[in-house]
Amino acid sequence: MKIVFPVAGVGTRFLPATKEVPKEILPIIDKPLIQYALEEAVQSGLADFIFITAPGKEALERYFAPNRELDEFLKRHRKAHLLDGLQEFYRKNFSYIRQEQALGFGHAIALAEKAVGDEAFAISLPDDLILSERPAMAQMLEIYEKYRSPVIAFMEVPRADIPRYGIAAGKFIAERVFQIEKLVEKPAIADAPSNFAVIGRYIMTPDIFPLLRETAHGAGAEIQLTDAVIQLMKKRRVLGYFFEGRRFDAGTTLGYIETLIHVALHREDTRDFTRRLLRDLAKNEKL
Ligand code: UTP
């Protein structure tokens, strides 16, 4: 299965850093955000990556290609191992599609139509970093294989956060799996049908593309995938899946801090230091 990474957004919430550096290259410790999403995809058995990028984000393309000078330099200094995690990507299949204008997440996905072809495909938003025992995308693929219906990842969010998400309700057909009956993009708390929030992992079927094209005729604002999914729900069953694991929102500044701390606590080489640091900070009454 192919996987689409829509990474053409402007990243306004991380300005000024994102003026020159794509948001997806900002590191969580020493690894760019995008690499976490790619590793999850690889661990889920996927190897065909489609990036929807924007002008000015060429660093993202360069990141997953070899850099001869750096390779030579590291070899000379016996430090080639420092790129170990990255080298495995050099052999994978990448394609890049330009979204000339940031017309929305749905618009970005529509641009993948030709590259995806007539098969189901995965979508991953690197802003959502998921720490889990089993890769989140592998869990999603398993649900798709079982039910052969489009699948969207979900988690429960505190009521106050509801207006930031796509929110759905529906009936459960298995543990963690529900058929979506209602879906609304960023509702007011009072109008929300639940606190089940859409997270950035999807398995979509190619019948979403004509619907995205129709959505494109709407006036004004960004083209949202949610609007096309609402149309898709009239034609076929769309499933929601509560993945196992914990998701961090690295796409906001506060979420970024939280992500950084949790990854630091998760990683063996940084765990003890971070624990000590947090304990010492908590003890300091001046905080
Ligand atoms: P966001 O809503 O997080 O937008 O997009 P953003 O530009 O990345 O960040 P802010 O809100 O300006 O800070 C959700 C996902 O959809 C992609 C983004 O790159 C991100 O992965 N996207 C969004 C596109 O590919 N194209 C668009 O036109 C809009």
Side-chain angles (χ1 to χ4, degrees):
M1 190 183 281
K2 292 177 177 162
I3 179 162
V4 179
F5 296 94
V7 287
V10 182
T12 48
R13 285 171 290 186
F14 274 93
L15 284 168
T18 47
K19 177 173 170 288
E20 296 300 330
V21 180
K23 177 174 70 175
E24 298 77 12
I25 298 225
L26 297 181
I28 302 296
I29 308 182
D30 50 10
K31 200 196 289 182
L33 199 46
I34 184 75
Q35 196 172 334
Y36 289 88
L38 254 82
E39 285 174 359
E40 180 193 315
V42 170
Q43 285 159 15
S44 304
L46 304 179
D48 236 316
F49 310 122
I50 301 167
F51 279 49
I52 313 295
T53 65
K57 286 192 146 186
E58 292 75 17
L60 263 174
E61 300 180 29
R62 286 195 301 274
Y63 185 75
F64 290 106
N67 173 338
R68 285 219 177 83
E69 275 168 28
L70 179 61
D71 289 346
E72 288 300 317
F73 173 88
L74 292 175
K75 248 186 228 153
R76 271 201 311 277
H77 292 81
R78 300 187 186 284
K79 286 184 174 172
H81 64 278
L82 293 178
L83 290 182
D84 270 357
L86 193 54
Q87 273 159 352
E88 68 167 305
F89 292 110
Y90 297 168
R91 289 182 298 276
K92 305 280 186 214
N93 197 7
F94 284 84
S95 51
Y96 298 94
I97 297 168
R98 277 282 184 100
Q99 187 187 29
E100 294 295 337
Q101 276 179 294
L103 295 177
F105 168 41
H107 180 259
I109 298 302
L111 293 176
E113 180 168 8
K114 249 206 198 133
V116 160
D118 200 24
E119 282 172 29
F121 63 103
I123 304 172
S124 175
L125 301 190
D127 278 7
D128 285 330
L129 192 153
I130 299 175
L131 296 179
S132 56
E133 265 176 40
R134 225 158 36 105
M137 196 48 93
Q139 300 176 40
M140 301 283 290
L141 288 167
E142 208 175 284
I143 299 297
Y144 175 75
E145 289 304 326
K146 185 161 179 197
Y147 297 99
R148 293 272 151 191
S149 294
V151 191
I152 301 177
F154 275 88
M155 66 181 256
E156 288 195 63
V157 294
R159 277 177 62 79
D161 292 344
I162 281 175
R164 293 176 36 213
Y165 293 90
I167 299 288
K171 67 169 191 290
F172 278 83
I173 59 170
E175 207 191 332
R176 294 180 175 275
V177 186
F178 67 104
Q179 179 169 347
I180 303 175
E181 286 168 344
K182 197 154 195 283
L183 179 63
V184 255
E185 184 63 29
K186 302 187 172 71
I189 297 174
D191 303 333
S194 75
N195 67 339
F196 297 178
V198 172
I199 297 307
R201 301 288 184 278
Y202 307 74
I203 310 284
M204 279 291 138
T205 44
D207 44 359
I208 195 71
F209 289 119
L211 301 172
L212 276 169
R213 262 182 266 128
E214 283 165 30
T215 311
H217 293 302
E222 292 196 338
I223 296 157
Q224 291 300 344
L225 180 67
T226 306
D227 292 331
V229 172
I230 291 168
Q231 296 310 313
L232 188 63
M233 281 158 52
K234 294 179 185 160
K235 297 173 197 273
R236 68 185 301 165
R237 178 173 74 166
V238 178
L239 299 177
Y241 171 66
F242 284 87
F243 58 92
E244 288 169 41
R246 187 153 173 207
R247 167 268 191 180
F248 299 95
D249 180 7
T252 63
T253 46
L254 297 184
Y256 185 81
I257 297 169
E258 191 184 4
T259 309
L260 201 63
I261 292 172
H262 276 272
V263 171
L265 287 170
H266 199 75
R267 253 171 68 159
E268 242 170 62
D269 60 335
T270 50
R271 180 180 300 147
D272 290 344
F273 169 81
T274 313
R275 267 196 197 143
R276 236 180 299 123
L277 177 70
L278 292 175
R279 269 196 214 117
D280 289 351
L281 285 171
K283 262 192 252 157
N284 183 346
E285 283 176 23
K286 275 185 242 139
L287 269 184

